[in-house]
Amino acid sequence: MQREDLEKTLVLIKPDALNNSLTGYILSQLSEFHTGLHFAATKIVFVNRILAEEHYAEHVGKFFYPSLLEYITGCLHYPNEPWKRRVIAIIYQGADAIKKIRGIVGPTNPHDARDQKPGSIRSLGSVIPVLDASGKVIGDRSDNLIHASANPEDAEREIKLWFMPTDIPPLMRNYPVETINEYYYFKNNTIYAEYEPGSICVCAPGDLLWKSDLEAMRLLVQGLQAHCSVNAVVAKYLINKEDNVK
Ligand code: ATP
Ligand code: MG
């Protein structure tokens, strides 16, 4: 397979799409028939706080950030049905995957999508006022049904945030991987090399990791600076695993 054929992008079918029963429609819009792309991985994810914060880290401090976390965790669309809070995470692969999917997805704001790209997936979304604690409108929130990686750097970061190498068939992987010989544990935002009471074992000898995660963990465990945060490395190991991580 040619390298360009291995281009990958992360798609998240968000809680509003699930709530509006648009999953089948979205999957058919993104199907191989329309895009020429292939599934490389998929999973149903309960989005805990750590994963939500890491995924949208670039928006920290913006007025819509708190509502964005509430949105992606499913709290907004399933306030009384926590068991329905989930997103469908998919990796699509193929030549020009990022651009092709962003084109079908459309502009971020559903009003813009309806104006500029009628028929795009986000043209079916909603724009909802965001209120402050006193009930005053401070802006709008875009409930836009779907996330799609914006560029190759974002795609790599996002894919490694949501998926482990073993979630992807071996011949479809294109980021370096390494088998580890050590244990790593996680508790309270910290990585440990030995078991701490109450910690979660994130990986053990023989596990296959993203090489970049392994490099980060080897620095973080010594209290040194790495290219990403502890939470960015461990988030994928906590997916659907740890009920206490809200
Ligand atoms: P996504 O990352 O979800 O695919 P995007 O890349 O088109 O969307 P981003 O700028 O990354 O847009 O914003 C992430 C999400 O934050 C958007 O999907 C939207 O829900 C929300 N958002 C972005 N900009 C605004 C804004 N100005 N006002 C309100 N919400 C916004
Ligand atoms: Mg984005």
Side-chain angles (χ1 to χ4, degrees):
M1 200 184 278
Q2 303 258 314
R3 242 203 111 68
E4 59 267 26
D5 291 340
L6 289 173
E7 181 174 307
K8 291 186 180 61
T9 188
L10 178 78
V11 163
L12 303 175
I13 300 182
K14 296 179 179 177
D16 51 335
L18 293 161
N19 198 32
N20 287 298
S21 208
L22 287 170
T23 309
Y25 172 75
I26 290 171
L27 289 174
S28 86
Q29 291 291 298
L30 302 180
S31 69
E32 186 177 356
F33 178 75
H34 290 299
T35 63
L37 302 175
H38 306 283
F39 288 113
T42 183
K43 58 171 97 164
I44 314 290
V45 179
F46 170 80
V47 182
N48 64 48
R49 196 84 191 169
I50 289 178
L51 185 57
E53 288 176 357
E54 286 301 326
H55 181 75
Y56 281 130
E58 67 176 296
H59 297 298
V60 172
K62 297 182 183 166
F63 79 87
F64 57 86
Y65 179 70
S67 67
L68 196 51
L69 298 187
E70 293 284 290
Y71 171 33
I72 200 68
T73 54
C75 297
L76 286 178
H77 293 89
Y78 295 107
N80 304 315
E81 297 168 299
W83 64 92
K84 292 187 182 173
R85 292 176 191 165
R86 70 236 188 269
V87 307
I88 302 177
I90 307 168
I91 302 173
Y92 285 99
Q93 176 171 286
D96 247 349
I98 295 169
K99 204 167 144 213
K100 277 182 187 159
I101 295 216
R102 289 283 285 196
I104 293 171
V105 161
T108 306
N109 182 308
H111 287 169
D112 295 340
R114 285 194 272 281
D115 285 347
Q116 296 160 23
K117 199 129 196 216
S120 63
I121 293 171
R122 284 173 165 176
S123 70
L124 299 177
S126 325
V127 177
I128 313 277
V130 175
L131 313 179
D132 68 11
S134 70
K136 191 172 145 244
V137 175
I138 53 170
D140 289 324
R141 187 182 91 220
S142 285
D143 287 5
N144 53 14
L145 305 168
I146 186 166
H147 162 83
S149 306
N151 55 57
E153 294 70 37
D154 282 2
E156 178 168 353
R157 184 190 76 82
E158 293 168 0
I159 286 167
K160 289 178 173 176
L161 178 66
W162 288 76
F163 288 89
M164 298 188 260
T166 48
D167 292 324
I168 302 172
L171 299 181
M172 298 185 105
R173 289 180 207 138
N174 58 337
Y175 309 130
V177 294
E178 197 168 318
T179 302
I180 62 160
N181 297 312
E182 57 255 59
Y183 287 93
Y184 288 111
Y185 301 87
F186 170 74
K187 183 182 158 185
N188 293 342
N189 217 7
T190 307
I191 302 228
Y192 298 91
E194 285 174 15
Y195 179 72
E196 281 285 309
S199 66
I200 299 162
C201 181
V202 291
C203 51
D207 287 351
L208 192 70
L209 266 62
W210 299 120
K211 196 170 191 303
S212 53
D213 275 2
L214 183 56
E215 288 164 357
M217 275 201 272
R218 284 180 176 156
L219 292 170
L220 293 164
V221 77
Q222 301 176 67
L224 300 170
Q225 194 77 23
H227 69 277
C228 64
S229 67
V230 168
N231 284 350
V233 175
V234 302
K236 68 192 78 63
Y237 302 102
L238 304 178
I239 285 178
N240 296 344
K241 190 173 187 183
E242 180 46 62
D243 291 341
N244 297 319
V245 182
K246 295 290 186 236

